[in-house]
Amino acid sequence: MLRLFKSKEEKELDALLERVDNNMSNNYKDAAQKDYKNFLKRYDELASAGKLSDKVTAYYTGVIEEYASKLTKFTHKDQPTKWGDWK
């Protein structure tokens, strides 16, 4: 969804998601998980304060579901430790 006119809250949330994307692309698993949690915390704060419209809330609900599925196995504990473990 292309959003041309964003509120400052949306810009802030998008910047937080950009940090998650950057860490994921560089394979910084712990940093990506931490930034995602920071995004969720800030999203909850803004949503509970009523600073996000219904349309924006619906958009970010889909984004949250998408990132949750991407980050489910994106941890160091799931990383193989020996050469023969990759499948």
Side-chain angles (χ1 to χ4, degrees), residues 12-24 28-45 59-75:
E12 179 184 359
L13 291 173
D14 286 346
L16 291 170
L17 284 176
E18 188 174 334
R19 288 187 65 170
V20 174
D21 286 334
N22 288 339
N23 286 323
M24 286 176 64
Y28 299 148
K29 296 176 180 181
D30 293 335
Q33 294 287 348
K34 181 182 172 197
D35 287 338
Y36 179 63
K37 288 177 184 173
N38 288 339
F39 164 78
L40 289 176
K41 180 181 174 189
R42 187 62 181 144
Y43 171 78
D44 287 339
E45 290 171 357
Y59 169 76
Y60 281 109
T61 301
V63 169
I64 288 170
E65 291 173 4
E66 179 184 330
Y67 276 87
S69 67
K70 283 183 188 178
L71 292 168
T72 300
K73 295 264 184 183
F74 197 70
T75 63

Side-chain angles (χ1 to χ4, degrees), residues 42-56:
R42 187 62 181 144
Y43 171 78
D44 287 339
E45 290 171 357
L46 293 172
S48 63
K51 294 189 177 188
L52 301 176
S53 68
D54 292 338
K55 187 175 182 179
V56 172

